[in-house]
Amino acid sequence: MTAKPAIDALITDLANQGYIASPAIATTLFLAQQLARPILIEGPPGVGKTELANACSAMLAAPLIRLQCYEGLDESKALYDWKYSKQLLYVQVLKEQLQEVLGGASGLDAAVERLHNFDDIFYSERFLEPRPLLHAIQSEQAAVLLIDEIDKADYEFESLLLEILADFQVSIPEIGRLKAKAKPLVILTSNNTRELSDALKRRCLHLYIPFPESRLEARIVHSRVPEVPDQLREQLVNFVQQVREMDLKKLPAISETIDWARSLILLHSQSLSTELVTDTLNVLLKYEEDIEMVTPEISRLLKGNP
């Protein structure tokens, strides 16, 4: 029995959420679901890595739990912290009850024995403040856990993730292991600003999303901005594809193609002209030196001559 019908169904379900997935993306997602493995998605910014997590959340009707990574991110921001104010209140209440608890105890040993008979709740789940990773582990419903831009976090933080990625559990020294109530679909994204550790990669299915080829990009634009006339869509996709072949500081991503298409609709455009492209090139390109490099080439690019 082939898995192709299930993969095709994923492509259709994602398309219903506005995400046009390639067969490679759908196949990786299918395997991740079947094997209960995280997905590490790498690729240039703006090609739909984060958007895939959003689409999966909508497709599966699962809550999306997002952890945005940055330099200096640590356990107290990503995994858990203690509710210190409530712990202090607990200490205050305990002090007020201490005489009653120890009443009648004869000697230090007897007092200590009585204290041991009470549950130690000071470091218990009752005083845990869950952060995104623990929140995903404790969720009664299987969630989509997005660990976004893992390459911005420190190497040390990757070590913190290994237990979750491998066993869907976390270990808290004062409490012990907490296993996932329902295994989340874990998606990590990276913009390749640094090399990730082999240990992290080994625990994930790897998926690279490149800039889309012209036919796929046209389908994405049609899905996200259906108001764009066919001729204009073909022109702008062809233009963007050629711009990506130039030696620019930042190549336009699919998100910028979509922004440009929406801008052209707002300007009631039916087709591209040199003047129109010149006036709106700042929507597509984010650096002035890139705009200065492309501007003299606009007429040539519109003729479709790379």
Side-chain angles (χ1 to χ4, degrees):
M1 181 178 175
T2 176
K4 191 173 184 311
I7 294 171
D8 289 342
L10 275 178
I11 292 175
T12 302
D13 291 343
L14 287 171
N16 290 337
Q17 306 304 325
Y19 190 94
I20 306 301
S22 66
I25 292 174
T27 301
T28 304
L29 180 59
F30 172 78
L31 292 174
Q33 290 178 311
Q34 299 302 312
L35 299 173
R37 294 281 300 277
I39 307 175
L40 169 61
I41 309 176
E42 295 187 288
V47 293
K49 301 186 295 294
T50 301
E51 194 56 34
L52 178 59
N54 290 325
C56 287
S57 172
M59 178 183 71
L60 300 171
L64 177 68
I65 299 174
R66 177 173 181 168
L67 175 63
Q68 177 63 51
C69 297
Y70 54 87
E71 189 177 351
L73 179 63
D74 60 14
E75 188 178 69
S76 66
K77 298 290 189 300
L79 185 55
Y80 73 93
D81 205 349
W82 294 104
K83 297 176 180 177
Y84 294 114
S85 58
K86 288 191 175 180
Q87 285 178 319
L88 289 173
L89 285 173
Y90 170 71
V91 170
Q92 188 65 34
V93 170
L94 191 62
K95 286 170 70 176
E96 293 173 358
Q97 300 294 319
L98 200 56
Q99 287 298 327
E100 181 180 334
V101 170
L102 300 181
S106 56
L108 182 60
D109 290 343
V112 171
E113 184 61 29
R114 287 199 178 189
L115 283 176
H116 275 297
N117 291 333
F118 285 84
D119 292 335
D120 184 9
I121 64 171
F122 195 76
Y123 286 110
S124 65
E125 289 189 54
R126 187 177 301 180
F127 290 115
L128 271 183
E129 184 69 61
R131 303 304 189 196
L133 297 179
L134 183 57
H135 187 46
I137 292 291
Q138 292 181 321
S139 177
E140 298 286 347
Q141 181 187 359
V144 175
L145 173 59
L146 170 62
I147 303 175
D148 212 8
E149 300 183 324
I150 181 61
D151 52 323
K152 286 186 177 178
D154 304 315
Y155 274 109
E156 293 75 13
F157 182 74
E158 290 185 28
S159 301
L160 179 68
L161 293 176
L162 299 182
E163 186 179 14
I164 296 176
L165 299 180
D167 301 318
F168 296 97
Q169 68 177 31
V170 297
S171 293
I172 298 176
E174 298 86 351
I175 296 177
R177 287 184 304 173
L178 298 178
K179 294 187 73 70
K181 296 178 179 176
K183 291 182 180 178
L185 172 63
V186 183
I187 295 178
L188 302 92
T189 72
S190 168
N191 292 329
N192 298 321
T193 58
R194 69 169 175 83
E195 191 68 26
L196 301 176
S197 69
D198 290 343
L200 185 140
K201 288 185 173 181
R202 196 166 55 246
R203 286 163 172 79
C204 302
L205 297 178
H206 182 261
L207 173 65
Y208 183 82
I209 302 181
F211 289 121
E213 44 83 24
S214 58
R215 205 164 72 172
L216 178 59
E217 186 160 25
R219 288 182 59 205
I220 294 171
V221 172
H222 179 61
S223 171
R224 303 300 293 272
V225 196
E227 306 89 349
V228 178
D230 292 345
Q231 181 189 358
L232 179 59
R233 182 171 62 250
E234 183 180 347
Q235 276 187 313
L236 73 88
V237 168
N238 185 44
F239 186 89
V240 172
Q241 292 277 330
Q242 293 179 81
V243 167
R244 288 196 188 119
E245 295 176 4
M246 299 177 70
D247 185 20
L248 302 179
K249 187 173 182 178
K250 181 187 179 306
L251 299 178
I254 181 62
S255 56
E256 283 136 2
T257 305
I258 292 170
D259 285 344
W260 195 30
R262 287 174 175 152
S263 301
L264 295 174
I265 290 299
L266 288 173
L267 295 172
H268 305 288
S269 308
Q270 295 297 314
S271 63
L272 293 182
S273 65
T274 301
E275 182 181 8
L276 179 62
V277 174
T278 302
D279 292 342
T280 59
L281 202 54
N282 59 325
V283 179
L284 190 66
L285 302 174
K286 303 303 180 185
Y287 290 92
E288 187 59 29
E289 52 262 53
D290 288 346
I291 294 175
E292 291 175 356
M293 184 179 292
V294 172
T295 298
E297 303 293 328
I298 290 175
S299 296
R300 178 180 66 81
L301 295 174
L302 285 177
K303 293 176 183 175
N305 297 317

